[in-house]
Amino acid sequence: PTRLVTQALGLCFTAEGMVVMVTWDGRQWSFPGGTVEDGESVEQALVREVAEEACARVVRCQYLASQHVADPLNPDGVPSYYQTRWWARVELDPWQPRHEMIGRRLVPPDQVLDALSWQRKEISHRLLHFALDADQYDRAR
């Protein structure tokens, strides 16, 4: 249910096929994305967060999957929510960070899993596979 979606996160590809990754500490790398704000659709949240965190413009995007998070001890009181994952074609703007991210890098798809700081590599492996399929389909159009 849309009302239970708290996050939109993008596996963002440049026209050259590179994947955009961001960091808040210079050591841990992830994909740009974040919280859905009041009055915003999930897709609007993705576009805004990619602009804020990666200094990039979403040209096209496609929903990939959701992760269900069961968190019965959540201090916000929501014990169950969803985080969406998207493929996006992006165009990079000059790197001028104004938010929490301090770095952006472009990573070849075959190096994304090594660069990614997520602990659950099986989830990121499946998401990357979905995103690569979406990217290939978009290139063929």
Side-chain angles (χ1 to χ4, degrees):
T2 304
R3 63 181 173 73
L4 295 179
V5 173
T6 63
Q7 185 186 70
L9 184 110
L11 283 79
C12 300
F13 286 73
T14 66
E16 297 77 29
M18 301 295 279
V19 179
V20 179
M21 299 185 78
V22 293
T23 183
W24 57 91
D25 65 3
R27 294 184 319 277
Q28 298 179 67
W29 292 87
S30 189
F31 306 113
T35 305
V36 179
E37 294 181 354
D38 288 337
E40 192 174 54
S41 72
V42 180
E43 188 173 331
Q44 288 169 331
L46 173 73
V47 170
R48 178 184 49 76
E49 288 286 350
V50 168
E52 290 176 359
E53 293 190 354
C55 299
R57 286 171 280 116
V58 172
V59 177
R60 286 181 298 286
C61 62
Q62 176 184 322
Y63 170 82
L64 296 175
S66 290
Q67 286 183 264
H68 177 242
V69 180
D71 188 0
L73 302 177
N74 185 346
D76 294 333
V78 181
S80 177
Y81 54 93
Y82 296 86
Q83 298 179 332
T84 61
R85 308 303 187 222
W86 298 73
W87 165 86
R89 168 79 62 233
V90 297
E91 293 178 354
L92 299 178
D93 291 327
W95 177 246
Q96 297 176 342
R98 294 181 301 261
H99 296 277
E100 66 273 13
M101 296 303 168
I102 64 166
R104 170 181 80 185
R105 72 190 231 193
L106 303 179
V107 179
D110 63 345
Q111 295 176 22
V112 166
L113 295 179
D114 290 334
L116 189 63
S117 62
W118 293 4
Q119 293 179 356
R120 302 289 306 265
K121 294 296 181 173
E122 67 275 8
I123 293 171
S124 53
H125 182 271
R126 289 194 67 192
L127 284 170
L128 180 61
H129 176 76
F130 293 153
L132 285 167
D133 284 349
D135 194 62
Q136 183 178 13
Y137 177 79
D138 185 72
R139 288 175 185 284
R141 293 182 350 163

